[in-house]
Amino acid sequence: MFHFMVNAEGGLTAAGYAVCILAGIVLFGIAIFFAGKNSEGKKMSAKQLVFCAVAMALAFVTSYLKIFNMPWGGSVTLCSMLFIVLTANWYGPKTGIMVGLAYGILQFIQEPYVLSFFQVCCDYVLAFAALGIAGFFAKSSHGLVKGYIAAVIARGAFHALGGYLYWMDYMPENFPKALTAVYPIAYNYSFLLAEAVITIIVISIPAVAKALAQVKKSAV
């Protein structure tokens, strides 16, 4: 089914890149449509569109600023997840999930690796869409921090699921069987939680927290 999109090494062919880019554009269009919706049902504003676009661009750029690379995929980046979480904090979980979906496609285009359709869903589409659940905490006290923590946990759950369903089959024969049950969880949360700690420290700095609050006022 995916032979025309995926090469023998698990990367994307030219057709694969074209399909993914098209999917990313469509998802981003849906995301900015929902970003323009508010509780009163008003139409999309140019300002909201710009804020979502800038947030996604910043997330993509900072995903290249890697503090540490894991040996089998995953890395600690310079707060890249935060920018997707911010869209959820500004405009709610629906928008955050859609922006996360579009961003997941961008991440797939950036560093694609395909074992199966459902592996791609777990590692890219669903994992990054899960960052949008941060929007459920937007109106609570310290909502950005709470939402960010929940988003990281949710993203890690999908990565771990992909590890159990697919990646463990590719481990060396001498891999300790006793670690099979915990390895996908430990591996994926190791880099996600490391980045989460760094990000939470940064956004808890009073000057940064004040600046983010001002940005939110402008965004909404």
Side-chain angles (χ1 to χ4, degrees), residues 52-81:
C52 279
V54 170
M56 183 181 291
L58 288 172
F60 190 69
V61 170
T62 52
S63 72
Y64 281 96
L65 303 178
K66 298 179 181 179
I67 300 171
F68 181 78
N69 273 314
M70 296 294 283
W72 295 290
S75 61
V76 179
T77 69
L78 191 61
C79 306
S80 64
M81 290 186 289

Side-chain angles (χ1 to χ4, degrees), residues 63 66-77 111 155 159 167 171 182-195:
S63 72
K66 298 179 181 179
I67 300 171
F68 181 78
N69 273 314
M70 296 294 283
W72 295 290
S75 61
V76 179
T77 69
E111 292 181 321
R155 177 186 166 183
H159 285 311
W167 290 105
M171 299 304 291
V182 298
Y183 185 77
I185 295 174
Y187 181 89
N188 287 290
Y189 279 109
S190 64
F191 65 89
L192 290 175
L193 293 179
E195 180 173 330

Side-chain angles (χ1 to χ4, degrees), residues 54-193:
V54 170
M56 183 181 291
L58 288 172
F60 190 69
V61 170
T62 52
S63 72
Y64 281 96
L65 303 178
K66 298 179 181 179
I67 300 171
F68 181 78
N69 273 314
M70 296 294 283
W72 295 290
S75 61
V76 179
T77 69
L78 191 61
C79 306
S80 64
M81 290 186 289
L82 173 63
F83 297 101
I84 304 303
V85 168
L86 285 174
T87 63
N89 185 260
W90 297 335
Y91 305 123
K94 183 184 293 185
T95 296
I97 289 170
M98 293 307 302
V99 171
L101 279 170
Y103 179 66
I105 297 295
L106 288 178
Q107 283 293 303
F108 181 60
I109 294 171
Q110 177 188 2
E111 292 181 321
Y113 194 85
V114 180
L115 297 177
S116 74
F117 172 78
F118 292 106
Q119 170 263 324
V120 171
C121 288
C122 286
D123 283 342
Y124 298 96
V125 180
L126 297 177
F128 288 102
L131 296 176
I133 72 168
F136 289 112
F137 300 85
K139 296 182 180 180
S140 64
S141 177
H142 304 290
L144 179 58
V145 173
K146 291 178 182 177
Y148 182 84
I149 293 171
V152 170
I153 292 172
R155 177 186 166 183
F158 284 109
H159 285 311
L161 177 62
Y164 282 119
L165 295 178
Y166 304 102
W167 290 105
M168 291 307 294
D169 292 338
Y170 293 83
M171 299 304 291
E173 292 184 2
N174 60 351
F175 183 81
K177 299 299 182 183
L179 298 179
T180 302
V182 298
Y183 185 77
I185 295 174
Y187 181 89
N188 287 290
Y189 279 109
S190 64
F191 65 89
L192 290 175
L193 293 179

Side-chain angles (χ1 to χ4, degrees), residues 192-210:
L192 290 175
L193 293 179
E195 180 173 330
V197 169
I198 295 171
T199 303
I200 290 171
I201 290 173
V202 171
I203 65 177
S204 296
I205 297 171
V208 175
K210 184 177 180 179

